[in-house]
Amino acid sequence: MISRRHILTNALQLSLLAAFPTQAFAQEDAGEPPRRFMMSDVNGAIVTDEHLLGKFGLVYFGYMGCPDICPTSLMTMAAVLKELGKDADRFQPFFVTVDPDRDTPELLSQYAPAFDERIVALRGPKAYTDAMDKAFGAKYEFHIADPKHPEDYTVDHTASIIFTGPDGKILKRFPHDLTSDVITADIRKAMAAYPAE
């Protein structure tokens, strides 16, 4: 049975597509702002690139069905936030699902906070997911092993944690195999160039 919330969410997504053509979110120059995006959080609130401006960002693209890479990456992100202490208040961490059909708001509302309550899960229609993916230089691809069972699929995706500055620029991409202490040390060095106001 389709819930009323599901219907409203789909209606919102369709209205977003109608009001904001995908071309409006194309990155003008790879590696430089504007790094435009518009998605929604688990409560249906619109989240855009403006939510990152003025803060450091940690952005990770993945999906809930990922057996190992996503959970370990989100655990690493959570550890970094803990190691940053009070400096974590200057950060906005995002988990962006590349599988919004399965990763519903209800499921995401339980998944992301399980790692750290500060991690905000984002989802959106495919056009918006693709636009944000492209804007951050990430990639994903669905793989269906048996065409007779299209529901059984895996997703290859970029496994790095993307670190952005308060000006929206990507400062670094942390590979999956880096430990949280190494990432935190690199982040603190970068933060020195952006004094707290």
Side-chain angles (χ1 to χ4, degrees), residues 23-59:
Q23 295 91 322
F25 298 94
Q27 190 174 350
E28 294 181 3
D29 183 21
E32 293 296 331
R35 189 160 284 104
R36 308 290 294 279
F37 67 88
M38 184 167 66
M39 303 285 271
S40 63
D41 66 15
V42 296
N43 297 311
I46 302 302
V47 178
T48 73
D49 47 287
E50 292 185 1
H51 288 83
L52 278 179
L53 294 179
K55 286 195 170 188
F56 292 97
L58 294 174
V59 183

Side-chain angles (χ1 to χ4, degrees), residues 106-126:
E106 291 80 9
L107 293 174
L108 285 170
S109 68
Q110 301 173 45
Y111 183 76
F115 298 96
D116 190 291
E117 291 185 352
R118 292 167 288 190
I119 300 174
V120 176
L122 301 181
R123 66 188 298 277
K126 185 179 186 304

Side-chain angles (χ1 to χ4, degrees), residues 2 7 28 46 57 87 102 110 114 121 159-160 165 174 179 181 188 190:
I2 299 176
I7 293 171
E28 294 181 3
I46 302 302
D87 284 334
R102 284 188 175 176
Q110 301 173 45
S160 58
F174 297 112
T179 59
D181 57 329
R188 289 198 180 280

Side-chain angles (χ1 to χ4, degrees), residues 59-133:
V59 183
Y60 186 79
F61 292 86
Y63 68 113
M64 288 179 54
C66 181
D68 48 19
I69 293 177
C70 289
T72 54
S73 294
L74 289 172
M75 283 190 287
T76 298
M77 185 186 289
V80 168
L81 292 170
K82 184 176 180 180
E83 291 166 16
L84 284 169
K86 291 183 178 180
D87 284 334
D89 293 341
R90 299 176 64 190
F91 281 75
Q92 175 57 71
F94 285 134
F95 169 67
V96 185
T97 179
V98 297
D99 189 11
D101 288 341
R102 284 188 175 176
D103 296 353
T104 64
E106 291 80 9
L107 293 174
L108 285 170
S109 68
Q110 301 173 45
Y111 183 76
F115 298 96
D116 190 291
E117 291 185 352
R118 292 167 288 190
I119 300 174
V120 176
L122 301 181
R123 66 188 298 277
K126 185 179 186 304
Y128 281 65
T129 302
D130 290 350
M132 185 173 182
D133 205 63

